[in-house]
Amino acid sequence: LVLSLLAGGLLIYTQYLRRMGDKIILTQEKLLETERRQRVETERAQISRELDFKKQELAAKALQLARKNEFLQSLNEEVHKLKEQSPDNIPDSARNISRWISLDIESEEEWEQFLASFREVHRDFIEFLQHQFPDISKAELRLACLMKMNLSGKEIASMLNITQDGVKKARYRLRKRLGLESDVDIQQFLMTAPRK
């Protein structure tokens, strides 16, 4: 009887130890899961902050490009006025200055930098457009990117160095290229364009 009691007590004690071990393991697993979730949330928050920063940086680059083009355009207009009012030897210098300004306005290097920043913020957007619409031109792609950023017609005109009427015509051509019906808002389409 004593041996049975001892064996029963030993069995109960080993089960107790096993349950305690299981509880400890379960508690450790819960702690590890909590730590993992916190790490994931921290990483998501960090990625979100980085994306917000890149969006701000992209907006700043777009604004900088628009302001630079606006300034150069007004400077170019002043040079044209100077050419018309000046003695014979100044028009050559004015023409050279005007040519340099025009070259800077149409600089591809700044656009490439802008598009690189744009790709960081709007991953796969350009590739999506090029894949879905293989005939899309470089100018139409630029316009689509600027519209995706929700820039005004005036800002787009300044960045592309065209008039606001030119922006309207370019939007019309882009709408046709994308095959959008007239009742579809092109701005909304580009803002919510699916990714690959």
Side-chain angles (χ1 to χ4, degrees), residues 17-49:
L17 287 178
R18 189 175 299 138
R19 283 189 196 137
M20 291 303 291
D22 289 346
K23 283 184 181 179
I24 290 171
I25 290 171
L26 187 60
T27 304
Q28 288 175 342
E29 287 175 352
K30 285 181 181 178
L31 283 173
L32 288 173
E33 182 64 23
T34 303
E35 287 175 7
R36 188 189 67 76
R37 283 185 186 156
Q38 288 174 345
R39 243 188 344 264
V40 167
E41 288 301 317
T42 303
E43 288 171 3
R44 282 184 185 161
Q46 178 68 24
I47 289 170
S48 177
R49 282 192 298 273

Side-chain angles (χ1 to χ4, degrees), residues 11 21 29 33 50 53 63 66 72 88 126 140 150 190 194:
L11 184 62
E29 287 175 352
E33 182 64 23
E50 287 174 6
F53 175 74
L63 188 60
L72 289 174
D88 291 338
I126 293 172
E140 290 167 337
N150 203 20
L190 293 171

Side-chain angles (χ1 to χ4, degrees), residues 99-176:
R99 191 181 75 236
W100 294 332
I101 290 170
S102 295
L103 287 174
D104 195 54
I105 288 174
E106 296 163 4
S107 169
E108 285 294 316
E109 183 180 327
E110 285 181 336
W111 270 108
E112 291 305 318
Q113 291 172 356
F114 172 80
L115 288 177
S117 295
F118 183 88
R119 277 187 173 101
E120 288 179 18
V121 175
H122 302 287
R123 292 188 176 103
D124 298 332
F125 177 74
I126 293 172
E127 288 75 15
F128 164 77
L129 287 179
Q130 289 174 330
H131 177 72
Q132 291 294 110
F133 312 99
D135 295 335
I136 194 166
S137 71
K138 199 179 248 189
E140 290 167 337
L141 202 54
R142 286 178 180 174
L143 176 62
C145 290
L146 296 174
M147 289 177 70
K148 172 90 171 163
M149 291 180 61
N150 203 20
L151 296 178
S152 70
K154 182 179 179 185
E155 292 167 323
I156 291 172
S158 177
M159 289 185 73
L160 297 178
N161 194 31
I162 57 177
T163 64
Q164 288 189 27
D165 284 339
V167 172
K168 289 177 184 175
K169 290 175 186 173
R171 282 182 196 224
Y172 176 76
R173 285 191 302 273
L174 180 60
R175 172 185 291 283
K176 285 182 70 172

Side-chain angles (χ1 to χ4, degrees), residues 4-20:
S4 302
L5 285 174
L6 280 175
L10 186 59
L11 184 62
I12 292 172
Y13 182 69
T14 55
Q15 286 181 349
Y16 170 76
L17 287 178
R18 189 175 299 138
R19 283 189 196 137
M20 291 303 291

